[in-house]
Amino acid sequence: MGKGKSLLLGFVVGGVVSASATLLSAPSSGTRVRQQVRDSSDQLKTTLANLQGEGKQLTEQIAKTSKEGASLLRELSTEVKQSIESWKQTIEPHQKNIQKHLQEIEESLKELEEKAKQQ
């Protein structure tokens, strides 16, 4: 049984027990006790209706928030992918240039090593 149903069952059982206890220990007249029971019953119905309405609102808000969160995550994912692609396109020409310079440096080092060995 869910927590909400347990809570509701607790309210109902508590209301019945308290109404019974009131009836059995009341020094009031029968008419007045019946009126108090009706009032308590009306209050309980109102409280249960309010709880149900608030529960529905909470459920709707959670659903709305999760949809918005999923949408934001999709947008963020798309933006990150676009940024990575843009970065790759920007860096690629420079990467080739850097590799070319590194190769020239390696060749220069080899030439210097050969000259050092010859001397």
Side-chain angles (χ1 to χ4, degrees):
M1 186 182 296
K3 289 182 180 180
K5 289 182 180 180
S6 288
L7 183 63
L8 180 63
L9 182 62
F11 278 127
V12 171
V13 170
V16 169
V17 169
S18 66
S20 299
T22 302
L23 285 173
L24 294 174
S25 64
S28 303
S29 68
T31 307
R32 183 168 178 183
V33 171
R34 284 191 294 272
Q35 183 60 42
Q36 288 174 342
V37 168
R38 269 183 261 170
D39 292 344
S40 296
S41 175
D42 290 342
Q43 287 177 352
L44 181 61
K45 287 178 185 177
T46 303
T47 302
L48 291 176
N50 288 340
L51 286 173
Q52 185 179 17
E54 289 174 3
K56 285 181 181 179
Q57 288 176 348
L58 181 61
T59 302
E60 291 170 0
Q61 185 63 38
I62 289 171
K64 181 181 175 184
T65 303
S66 66
K67 286 178 184 177
E68 289 174 356
S71 175
L72 287 173
L73 284 176
R74 281 192 294 273
E75 289 176 17
L76 178 64
S77 174
T78 302
E79 289 177 9
V80 167
K81 286 177 184 177
Q82 290 174 349
S83 295
I84 290 172
E85 287 300 318
S86 174
W87 179 76
K88 283 181 180 179
Q89 290 174 359
T90 302
I91 202 94
E92 189 174 347
H94 299 292
Q95 184 180 9
K96 290 178 182 178
N97 194 19
I98 290 171
Q99 287 176 345
K100 180 182 172 188
H101 285 295
L102 284 175
Q103 196 172 26
E104 290 173 359
I105 291 171
E106 284 178 11
E107 290 173 4
S108 296
L109 285 174
K110 286 180 183 177
E111 289 176 12
L112 284 174
E113 285 177 1
E114 289 177 13
K115 285 184 183 179
K117 286 181 183 177
Q118 289 176 357
Q119 292 179 354

